[in-house]
Amino acid sequence: LREDITEDVRENTFNIQAAGRNLLSLVSDVLDFSELESGKMELVEEPYNLTSTINDVINMAIAQKGSKKLELIVDCDAKIPYTLLGDEQKIRRVILSFVNNAIKFTEAGCITLVFSARKEEYGVNLSVKVKDTGIGMEEENLEKLFSSFNQVDTKRNRQEGGIGIGLAISKRIISKMGGFISVKSTFGKGSEFQFVIPQKV
């Protein structure tokens, strides 16, 4: 892609790069799923800076949204402690899963990421919300979302390259961290995914 190539070759190379990223994501999902199924997934507790995590997520989201006319908005509470203790890689993975789904099902409008924290004796309860202005879902489909290999819109997911285990993995990771996931959605207006987890400071 850094070479001086024709537009056709450049477009094909971009498609190969995107397909490679999709494949990597699917392989990661399957590996994580098998670790969770066998009870071998371990949480790593390390100091991390949430600002860096947000930067990574936004950079990946910008790459994924491509030419879609989407505005990405970050609303981050300035009172969140500078350094938290937790498994940053898995937290980032869950946020990305939420953001990727939001981009997948939103053609235009905005995706908002809201980060906040509430003080507790052990540290903080970290809350992360991802809201979109996408197609939304019927209420009866909300329960299916976190079932393994279950897709609300199979045809759409196949087009976008998903296999329906991203949210199931996210729910189990968050549960393992002692937190919970919730979702609200209005058909035709958008969805809101949220997780809350305890983090040491």
Side-chain angles (χ1 to χ4, degrees), residues 76-81 115:
C76 186
D77 184 351
K79 295 189 196 78
I80 295 176
F115 298 86

Side-chain angles (χ1 to χ4, degrees), residues 132-139 142 183-192:
D132 66 59
T133 56
I135 59 175
M137 282 165 285
E138 302 280 8
E139 199 159 327
L142 294 182
V183 58
K184 296 178 195 164
S185 191
T186 306
F187 187 67
K189 291 189 175 176
S191 304
E192 176 184 307

Side-chain angles (χ1 to χ4, degrees), residues 36 41-46 48 85-95 122 124-126 128 169-181 195-200:
L36 282 162
M41 179 172 274
E42 297 298 323
L43 294 177
V44 180
E45 200 174 74
E46 292 177 328
Y48 70 95
L85 274 176
D87 195 325
E88 189 272 342
Q89 274 197 332
K90 290 189 177 64
I91 292 167
R92 180 173 6 128
R93 181 167 167 67
V94 175
I95 300 170
Y122 47 77
V124 295
N125 269 349
L126 177 66
V128 179
I169 290 168
S170 296
K171 185 173 185 180
R172 288 166 80 165
I173 288 172
I174 294 301
S175 294
K176 200 169 171 67
M177 291 179 176
F180 67 88
I181 280 182
F195 71 80
V196 178
I197 47 169
Q199 295 287 272
K200 291 177 187 166

Side-chain angles (χ1 to χ4, degrees), residues 91-134:
I91 292 167
R92 180 173 6 128
R93 181 167 167 67
V94 175
I95 300 170
L96 271 172
S97 178
F98 285 5
V99 171
N100 288 345
N101 268 332
I103 292 171
K104 194 187 291 186
F105 296 109
T106 309
E107 286 306 316
C110 69
I111 291 164
T112 308
L113 286 77
V114 183
F115 298 86
S116 60
R118 194 180 72 205
K119 272 189 179 179
E120 300 290 349
E121 282 179 21
Y122 47 77
V124 295
N125 269 349
L126 177 66
S127 164
V128 179
K129 273 185 206 170
V130 176
K131 299 189 273 190
D132 66 59
T133 56

Side-chain angles (χ1 to χ4, degrees), residues 3 18 23 48 56 59 74 81 88 101 104 107 114-115 123 134 147 150 156 163 170 197 201:
E3 302 296 320
L23 186 58
Y48 70 95
D56 287 350
N59 286 334
V74 177
E88 189 272 342
N101 268 332
K104 194 187 291 186
E107 286 306 316
V114 183
F115 298 86
S147 304
N150 198 335
R156 179 70 179 265
I163 56 172
S170 296
I197 47 169
V201 175

Side-chain angles (χ1 to χ4, degrees), residues 144-163:
K144 295 183 196 171
L145 278 178
F146 298 102
S147 304
S148 306
F149 301 106
N150 198 335
Q151 297 172 328
V152 172
D153 185 347
T154 306
K155 186 170 181 244
R156 179 70 179 265
N157 270 287
R158 286 282 178 260
Q159 286 171 349
E160 301 285 351
I163 56 172

